[in-house]
Amino acid sequence: MTAARLRHGDQVVKPLYDALGEHVHHRQESDPEQVVPTVLAELGLDADLVEYAWTDEVDQAVRASHQDGIDRVGQDVGTPVIAVEGTAFFGPVISPAPKGQEALDLWDGVVAVAKYPGFFELKRSRTVGPVFDTTV
């Protein structure tokens, strides 16, 4: 992912995550030696990007990206990290992912809490595992 982003820019990140998620979570394909080249080919990305998966060549960039997220949100959280309206949060951790108006309503709530400087955390225990669906 990082090698592709460094070579092709940020615009490649979402399509690459989406394609990897499709293969790994929806199709249950678990062999990275097959999944990664397949996804690169599907997206028309350089086949040699697969080599970065087996080296430490972009590790410094991965660590820098991770540190950037942690610097924004603080040490007592995990990943993923998002930044909204100049405020960073751990999360979201949502399953299943909302669709349509539900997703827009949820995003409006995230934007609202990001605007409040004293908002820090909402949390509860998970009661369901990840749900990976493709229904829009």
Side-chain angles (χ1 to χ4, degrees), residues 94-96 126-132:
I94 303 167
S95 188
R126 294 182 198 191
T127 58
V128 65
V131 176
F132 300 109

Side-chain angles (χ1 to χ4, degrees), residues 84 89 102-115 119 122:
V84 180
F89 296 107
E102 225 178 19
L104 294 172
D105 292 345
L106 180 60
W107 183 250
D108 288 345
V110 171
V111 171
V113 298
K115 290 179 181 177
F119 180 84
L122 284 173

Side-chain angles (χ1 to χ4, degrees), residues 7 10 21 24 36 39-40 43-44 49-50 58-59 64 73 83 87 90 99 105 117 134 136:
R7 187 178 293 176
D10 289 339
V24 172
V36 175
V39 166
L40 291 174
L43 297 178
L49 286 169
V50 72
V58 295
D59 286 8
V73 76
T87 300
F90 159 65
K99 308 286 190 281
D105 292 345
T134 56
V136 177

Side-chain angles (χ1 to χ4, degrees), residues 51-112:
E51 298 306 318
Y52 290 96
W54 324 122
T55 73
D56 61 0
E57 214 170 315
V58 295
D59 286 8
Q60 184 175 358
V62 171
R63 286 187 187 96
S65 175
H66 176 75
Q67 190 60 52
D68 177 57
I70 295 302
D71 288 347
R72 291 170 189 247
V73 76
Q75 293 295 323
D76 56 342
V77 299
T79 57
V81 170
I82 62 169
V84 180
E85 301 284 330
T87 300
F89 296 107
F90 159 65
V93 178
I94 303 167
S95 188
K99 308 286 190 281
Q101 188 60 49
E102 225 178 19
L104 294 172
D105 292 345
L106 180 60
W107 183 250
D108 288 345
V110 171
V111 171

Side-chain angles (χ1 to χ4, degrees), residues 25-53:
H25 298 297
H26 298 164
R27 300 182 191 179
Q28 299 294 303
E29 298 169 4
S30 59
D31 183 356
E33 291 185 34
Q34 291 180 359
V35 172
V36 175
T38 299
V39 166
L40 291 174
E42 285 177 5
L43 297 178
L45 296 172
D46 309 319
D48 71 321
L49 286 169
V50 72
E51 298 306 318
Y52 290 96

